[in-house]
Amino acid sequence: MKEQQSIFTAISDPHRRVILRLLKQGELSVSELAKHFDFSGATLSHHLSVLKSAALVRVRKDKQKRIYTLNTSVVEELLLVVNQLFK
Amino acid sequence: MKEQQSIFTAISDPHRRVILRLLKQGELSVSELAKHFDFSGATLSHHLSVLKSAALVRVRKDKQKRIYTLNTSVVEELLLVVNQLFK
DNA sequence: ACATTATTTAGACTACCATCTAATTAAAGT
DNA sequence: ACTTTAATTAGATGGTAGTCTAAATAATGT
């Protein structure tokens, strides 16, 4: 898997890890996610695009909103990779 | 654990992950590690200091050499944190 | 003492990253 | 049509990270 680096880059930022934890509890729109952060919507959009590039999250449209969800299969893959890093 | 960020930063670099995988197989001196990489000794020293700051590795002296080893307790901690990120 | 080997530290450079504001796209409601 | 809401994209900026060469530190051997 050649995009391994993109996953490690994605989880290296603390704000993105918070996003992942929030999505772990259920899907959220961008504006719902925004309530949890101080930075601008543009920055949030940037973080989401990094997570999307790593395929850690998926997005779908619902009217004007874009709903983000955890991509559990890639998450499982990450857990495997990290475990194999050491075990 | 307040140094969680330093651990994620440490494993975000691919060269440092190679170092960790090498040390997983047994302790190594800096010059032994150097054989596996193209970059300068100064750069290797920098990577080792990042890993050391995150407490992922430990170092001891043996004559002129410095022997690096995996710090398995912090490694276990990392595995736990990553797992809790998603599960 | 001096030279050699092993490693780190200092300082510089480039590239990338997180962030911002402003502009843009897109869908919905009036 | 126009306005509002939702989100992304463009472009700029400051800071940090990875890398290098050169210099410094430290231990060994001659």
Side-chain angles (χ1 to χ4, degrees):
Chain A
M1 111 205 12
K2 62 175 176 311
E3 342 74 2
Q4 192 170 309
Q5 181 54 39
S6 69
I7 301 184
F8 280 101
T9 301
I11 65 169
S12 71
D13 180 87
H15 290 143
R16 287 194 289 265
R17 292 200 299 279
V18 173
I19 293 173
L20 291 171
R21 280 190 216 99
L22 289 168
L23 293 180
K24 182 177 61 170
Q25 316 199 128
E27 56 182 32
L28 290 169
S29 68
V30 177
S31 37
E32 285 167 335
L33 279 167
K35 292 175 193 159
H36 296 82
F37 301 102
D38 284 341
F39 46 71
S40 73
T43 296
L44 176 55
S45 195
H46 163 71
H47 284 313
L48 290 171
S49 95
V50 172
L51 291 168
K52 218 169 16 173
S53 300
L56 282 165
V57 302
R58 295 218 166 286
V59 60
R60 72 165 201 281
K61 291 186 189 174
D62 179 41
K63 308 199 172 185
Q64 309 102 310
K65 311 245 178 143
R66 316 251 169 129
I67 311 291
Y68 281 80
T69 56
L70 260 193
N71 185 350
T72 55
S73 67
V74 174
V75 164
E76 289 300 323
E77 189 183 297
L78 165 65
L79 295 177
L80 208 70
V81 169
V82 173
N83 272 276
Q84 285 171 348
L85 231 193
F86 298 110
K87 295 205 161 166
Chain B
M1 96 211 13
K2 62 174 177 308
E3 339 75 3
Q4 191 172 309
Q5 182 54 40
S6 69
I7 301 184
F8 280 101
T9 301
I11 65 169
S12 72
D13 181 87
H15 291 143
R16 286 195 289 266
R17 292 199 300 277
V18 173
I19 294 174
L20 291 171
R21 279 190 216 100
L22 289 168
L23 294 180
K24 180 177 63 169
Q25 315 199 131
E27 56 183 32
L28 291 169
S29 69
V30 176
S31 36
E32 285 166 335
L33 280 167
K35 291 173 194 160
H36 297 83
F37 301 102
D38 286 339
F39 47 71
S40 73
T43 296
L44 175 55
S45 195
H46 163 71
H47 284 313
L48 290 171
S49 95
V50 172
L51 291 168
K52 217 169 15 171
S53 299
L56 282 165
V57 302
R58 295 219 167 286
V59 59
R60 72 166 199 281
K61 290 185 192 174
D62 178 43
K63 307 201 174 184
Q64 309 101 308
K65 311 244 180 144
R66 316 252 169 127
I67 312 290
Y68 280 81
T69 56
L70 261 194
N71 185 350
T72 53
S73 66
V74 174
V75 164
E76 290 299 325
E77 188 182 301
L78 166 63
L79 295 177
L80 208 69
V81 169
V82 173
N83 273 275
Q84 286 172 346
L85 232 194
F86 298 110
K87 297 204 162 166

